[in-house]
Amino acid sequence: MNTSTTSRPAMAMLAAVIGVAVLTAFAAWSPPSIRKLLLFSVAYGLCVGAIVNRAAKDSGIRRLIAVGLTLGLTVTGLMVIAVRGHRQFEAEKTAAVKAAPDQAMARSIIEAAAVHDPQLAAQLAEEAETRELSFGDYLALRVRPLGEWSQPWPVVFWGAEVLLAAACSGFLVSRQLRSPTISTEEQT
């Protein structure tokens, strides 16, 4: 067996993974206003499907492998994007709290006193933990345009969003690789 034909599917899969990684990086660093509920995830899934579909068609990767790769990349990518969005929101919230000029002096006095008072230091640390948003809180904030949802519904909604995006990407790849290709000789 020729080594160039056996490495071709592996190289195509690697190219697809790199392509999806670049797409994910752009999506994760995009402004939150672009990452709209549901629409963004489905569009992301379709883009992942298109990338894997192109790699599979060019190298002859089997349909089942391509669909599995698509599903895995879609779910992983959306998880990375959500974690990045959570971190981005936390950073913006922290910067807004630190930038409040009316509280800056009081905060610095309390922090200076906490150096010598372990009980105050523990209390400040506890308050800092309660101010941080959990991932579930971030997801609740994402769905706020649809109304106030209590836990676990924002997490369930996000899970459904990820599953829908994966289903769209998997369906695209499965459908495209199932359909027979028309060669240029057959068209003429």
Side-chain angles (χ1 to χ4, degrees):
M1 185 180 264
N2 189 354
T3 58
S4 66
T5 58
T6 57
S7 66
R8 189 170 182 198
M11 292 301 290
M13 287 174 42
L14 179 62
V17 169
I18 292 171
V20 171
V22 169
L23 173 68
T24 302
F26 279 121
W29 287 91
S30 66
S33 60
I34 292 176
R35 298 187 301 252
K36 298 290 183 196
L37 293 176
L38 202 61
L39 296 174
F40 174 81
S41 297
V42 170
Y44 176 83
L46 292 173
C47 288
V48 170
I51 291 169
V52 174
N53 181 51
R54 173 55 51 202
K57 279 186 174 181
D58 288 348
S59 65
I61 295 174
R62 291 189 2 218
R63 183 173 67 150
L64 186 60
I65 293 171
V67 169
L69 179 65
T70 303
L71 295 175
L73 289 174
T74 301
V75 170
T76 303
L78 286 172
M79 290 173 71
V80 167
I81 292 167
V83 168
R84 170 67 185 124
H86 176 242
R87 288 183 183 158
Q88 184 179 18
F89 181 76
E90 278 186 335
E92 289 172 2
K93 183 181 167 200
T94 303
V97 167
K98 288 183 179 179
D102 56 338
Q103 296 178 0
M105 183 181 282
R107 188 175 39 255
S108 64
I109 292 170
I110 292 172
E111 288 173 355
V115 171
H116 303 293
D117 185 1
Q119 187 178 14
L120 181 60
Q123 183 180 0
L124 286 177
E126 184 179 317
E127 286 176 7
E129 279 183 24
T130 59
R131 276 194 310 252
E132 290 182 16
L133 285 178
S134 70
F135 188 67
D137 294 336
Y138 165 72
L139 294 177
L141 186 69
R142 279 186 73 235
V143 297
R144 186 164 287 154
L146 302 176
E148 292 293 326
W149 292 11
S150 62
Q151 294 297 339
W153 295 113
V155 177
V156 170
F157 184 85
W158 179 69
E161 204 175 3
V162 170
L163 288 175
L164 179 63
C168 289
S169 66
F171 178 76
L172 175 76
V173 170
S174 178
R175 186 83 169 137
Q176 291 294 316
L177 293 179
R178 184 179 334 152
S179 64
T181 57
I182 300 172
S183 67
T184 56
E185 293 91 32
E186 292 177 68
Q187 290 178 356
T188 56

